Amino acid sequence: MEIVLNSYNTLIASALVMLIGHWLVFRIKFLSAFNIPEPVAGGLLAALVITLLNAATGLTLKLDTELQTTFMLMFFASIGLGADFTRLKKGGKPLVMLLALVSVFIVVQNIIGVSLAALLGLKPLIGLMVGSITLTGGHGTAGAWGPVLETQYGIAGATTLGIATATFGLVFGGLIGGPVARHLVRSQHREPVRNARERTGIEAISGTPRHEQGTESEEANRLTFELFDQPRLITAYAAIETLAMFAACLTSADLLGRWTQGTALELPTFIWALASGVVLRNVLTHIFRFQMFDRAIDVFSNVSLSLFLAIALISLRLWELASLAGPVTVILAAQVVVMMLYAIFITYRFMGSDYDAAVVAAGHCGFGLGATPTAIANMQAVTDRFGPSYKAYLTVPLVGAFFVDLINAAILQIFTQIPFLQ
């Protein structure tokens, strides 16, 4: 038996899933501690219920995919619209260095994924779904690449695998960040802030000059990373203005996708949406001196991602993952170990081998396996104990929330075109 939901029913179902997810995250400490997104919490519960019903009665659920595609394209357009390249200047050399380190790690992550997938008898491209698509990219990128791998490369259950892997990454990205940072900080023989105060009566010295401690890191945190549930003041005019920009990005993505189909420039539509957002943002800002309303972009970004994830998760067919469970677990375990080693021996050393570098390494663990909120949570756990780090709070959110998706999209496109991986 198959239940078919039209676009209106799909929107209602996704809204209900988000409300249930909100309640679960509020009530279950584990979910909030590891920054599990509300649509993921509610959606996985819905997917589990549907799986049990399928096992008992053969029931399947089919949702309207047009809304899902629209919300997915809006989310990637929002990433582009938020990518103002003047922020590179604010971050300076540390930001450029972290971008380079993250780029190399994305390549490493994908090499590990495809290599182990081939060794374990899986299609090599499955390794990308257990690589940077889901771990660096997160749920949004997983939901976008899943249908591409399913339709163009014949990998059944890619979307389901992607959502499950991205959730795994969120949890372990939060688990390893703290231990990695503690190991690095202890190697510097650094005392917790409280102990230093008790012993000397002054603030512990951080990578930031003492007179700048606290205020600058707090300001950097406030300016460069905005919590998804933080109240925002948005006018009707700003909302309409922002919707028009999203519409322009989606129209551009649709046209470019049609014009390049079957050519060497053919790319997934969501990449065109992201690229259109980048061009529109920087042209409007730097040529026409247009004042972008970032708060409105953030709100529409969060709403579109939440609805997209809710619809994608309700559509999951968890029973399709049974044959992949063992090999995927091996690959994920390897990815966690490599992330820890890379953060300790590469990220930490190239970012300066000081306290700031230790906090950055913790943040890299967060968005290298999970997402930017996980990175922020990791860094907060360290700075609450050992003191503030202005450099980390300036560079990590900018890389994790904006530029990493641009880099990841470009690298993934190269990997998918390698003949022996297909």
Side-chain angles (χ1 to χ4, degrees):
M1 181 174 65
E2 183 178 66
I3 297 177
V4 180
L5 302 182
N6 62 25
S7 57
Y8 304 119
N9 301 144
T10 298
L11 186 58
I12 293 171
S14 60
L16 288 174
V17 162
M18 289 174 62
L19 291 173
I20 293 171
H22 178 78
W23 183 85
L24 289 172
V25 172
F26 180 75
R27 294 288 182 180
I28 302 175
K29 187 177 180 180
F30 170 83
L31 298 177
S32 60
F34 288 102
N35 302 291
I36 303 299
E38 293 174 359
V40 172
L44 286 177
L45 178 61
L48 180 60
V49 171
I50 294 170
T51 299
L52 294 176
L53 289 174
N54 175 267
T57 66
L59 173 72
T60 58
L61 191 65
K62 183 177 180 181
L63 280 71
D64 183 276
T65 59
E66 186 174 353
L67 276 178
Q68 181 181 349
T69 301
T70 301
F71 289 132
M72 181 260 290
L73 293 177
M74 285 184 66
F75 167 66
F76 279 94
S78 73
I79 295 173
L81 289 171
D84 188 340
F85 285 115
T86 57
R87 290 170 177 166
L88 283 169
K89 296 180 181 178
K90 294 181 181 179
K93 291 182 180 179
L95 179 60
V96 175
M97 175 58 72
L98 184 57
L99 277 170
L101 294 173
V102 169
S103 301
V104 173
F105 180 70
I106 290 173
V107 175
V108 171
Q109 207 169 49
N110 287 328
I111 290 174
I112 291 170
V114 298
S115 300
L116 289 179
L119 288 174
L120 295 169
L122 303 177
K123 290 184 177 180
L125 283 181
I126 290 179
L128 295 181
M129 191 55 81
V130 197
S132 74
I133 288 179
T134 56
L135 299 179
T136 294
H139 288 87
T141 308
W145 277 100
V148 173
L149 296 182
E150 290 171 350
T151 57
Q152 295 186 19
Y153 301 100
I155 300 176
T159 302
T160 306
L161 173 63
I163 297 298
T165 303
T167 304
F168 171 95
L170 276 176
V171 174
F172 277 84
L175 283 175
I176 69 172
V180 165
R182 281 194 293 272
H183 166 74
L184 294 173
V185 172
R186 286 174 180 172
S187 69
Q188 303 169 7
H189 305 290
R190 184 187 184 89
E191 292 187 28
V193 172
R194 182 179 301 174
N195 292 350
R197 285 175 181 168
E198 292 172 352
R199 186 168 58 82
T200 67
I202 61 173
E203 294 286 344
I205 303 301
S206 72
T208 306
R210 181 170 173 260
H211 70 280
E212 296 178 352
Q213 289 180 25
T215 56
E216 283 201 5
S217 63
E218 289 167 6
E219 181 68 7
N221 189 16
R222 183 184 69 80
L223 291 175
T224 59
F225 182 77
E226 207 168 18
L227 296 175
F228 76 94
D229 57 352
Q230 180 176 334
R232 300 172 173 89
L233 300 177
I234 297 175
T235 64
Y237 181 80
I240 293 171
E241 193 176 70
T242 304
L243 278 175
M245 288 190 288
F246 276 107
C249 291
L250 267 60
T251 301
S252 172
D254 181 63
L255 291 175
L256 289 170
R258 292 172 186 268
W259 293 340
T260 58
Q261 189 172 10
T263 70
L265 296 176
E266 182 176 1
L267 298 170
T269 307
F270 70 89
I271 294 181
W272 285 123
L274 190 155
S276 299
V278 172
V279 173
L280 183 61
R281 166 68 188 236
N282 289 279
V283 167
L284 288 177
T285 301
H286 304 302
I287 296 179
F288 295 98
R289 304 300 178 185
F290 180 77
Q291 295 296 318
M292 303 290 283
F293 200 71
D294 286 319
R295 289 179 179 176
I297 294 173
D298 290 343
V299 167
F300 283 111
S301 173
N302 289 323
V303 170
S304 58
L305 177 60
S306 295
L307 290 171
F308 161 61
L309 288 178
I311 296 172
L313 287 160
I314 298 171
S315 306
L316 286 185
R317 297 172 179 264
L318 293 177
W319 54 89
E320 294 178 350
L321 289 180
S323 62
L324 297 176
V328 167
T329 301
V330 173
I331 299 174
L332 288 175
Q335 295 284 25
V336 171
V337 173
V338 171
M339 178 74 260
M340 294 177 70
L341 294 176
Y342 192 92
I344 293 171
F345 295 105
I346 305 297
T347 304
Y348 174 68
R349 292 186 179 181
F350 279 87
M351 290 303 294
S353 298
D354 54 10
Y355 174 66
D356 288 323
V359 181
V360 170
H364 191 190
C365 289
F367 73 79
L369 291 181
T372 307
T374 309
I376 296 298
N378 285 352
M379 294 194 301
Q380 285 177 338
V382 180
T383 56
D384 285 348
R385 182 171 175 79
F386 293 99
S389 171
Y390 174 75
K391 183 193 293 185
Y393 275 101
L394 180 62
T395 56
V396 171
L398 286 174
V399 173
F402 298 107
F403 299 111
V404 72
D405 288 295
L406 306 177
I407 298 167
N408 196 24
I411 292 174
L412 285 170
Q413 188 61 28
I414 294 172
F415 268 86
T416 56
Q417 300 305 312
I418 299 175
F420 68 85
L421 294 182
Q422 301 178 12

